[in-house]
Amino acid sequence: MTTPDSPENGGRRPLRADARTNRERILTVAEEVFGRGGESASTEEVARLANVGIATVFRHFPTKAALLEAVLVQRFDRLRAQAEALLHATDSGAAFFDFFRHLVADATGKIAIGEALQEAGGDDSGDAARASDGLRRAVGALLAQAQRAGAVRDDAELPEVYALLVATSRASAHARIEEGVRNRMLAIVFDGLAPPPAPRRR
């Protein structure tokens, strides 16, 4: 429940139901608009598609950077929740590799929003960075669980696995890699993360 001290409201009094609905709709539309258009997208387009006035957008988010940061926080929190839900999956290996694949497929929009935030002069060390760290920890938990199940090699630690995730995500987003190529690229990465075969007995 929203409280006067809740971070969603910046420590102000709770939002009315209609204001909360407007805020959620603005964030949903902004994620789509900036995920598609990046830095070239505008808050005016967000307001139009959310069916609110531009003043309403700025009432909730005083600057374009504030809106973009809130969008990134929402996106990272949603992905973290998805990763945490997969910790209860019966097949830990499939859960880890499927989520890795999902993050790569999701990367184009996320990168576009992040670049738009930087272009708008936003601070990438604030709430968005904390939300990103939460996602990273959730990926680490999935990795550890997959390793305990024997689906991922024991010597693969989170820093290098996350570096692979970031690299493949950026390659997929910036190089406009088609789905078939992306799937083959990930198959090679996943082969590298698999446990080495047991040595043959002579």
Side-chain angles (χ1 to χ4, degrees), residues 126-202:
D127 290 342
R130 286 189 288 273
S132 177
D133 287 343
L135 172 60
R136 181 188 175 100
R137 287 192 297 271
V139 171
L142 281 177
L143 171 63
Q145 193 162 275
Q147 288 174 318
R148 287 193 294 271
V152 176
R153 55 192 303 159
D154 291 334
D155 60 347
E157 298 184 1
L158 181 58
E160 55 261 31
V161 171
Y162 215 76
L164 281 171
L165 176 57
V166 171
T168 50
S169 294
R170 290 195 170 274
S172 181
H174 287 302
R176 309 284 184 186
I177 294 176
E178 62 182 37
E179 185 177 358
V181 175
R182 184 178 70 218
N183 289 339
R184 292 192 293 275
M185 172 183 70
L186 288 176
I188 294 170
V189 172
F190 293 168
D191 281 347
L193 289 173
R200 294 181 179 178
R201 293 184 178 179
R202 292 181 178 271

Side-chain angles (χ1 to χ4, degrees), residues 69-149:
E69 183 174 29
V71 168
L72 271 183
V73 168
Q74 175 178 265
R75 196 180 188 102
F76 283 134
D77 284 348
R78 183 175 65 245
L79 291 168
R80 174 187 49 77
Q82 291 171 358
E84 290 172 348
L86 287 172
L87 291 171
H88 304 290
T90 54
D91 188 336
S92 300
F96 169 76
F97 288 118
D98 286 348
F99 192 65
F100 193 117
R101 188 178 291 107
H102 173 65
L103 287 179
V104 173
D106 181 76
T108 301
K110 178 265 171 188
I111 290 172
I113 296 166
E115 291 176 346
L117 174 60
Q118 292 181 340
E119 182 69 20
D123 180 8
D124 59 3
S125 63
D127 290 342
R130 286 189 288 273
S132 177
D133 287 343
L135 172 60
R136 181 188 175 100
R137 287 192 297 271
V139 171
L142 281 177
L143 171 63
Q145 193 162 275
Q147 288 174 318
R148 287 193 294 271

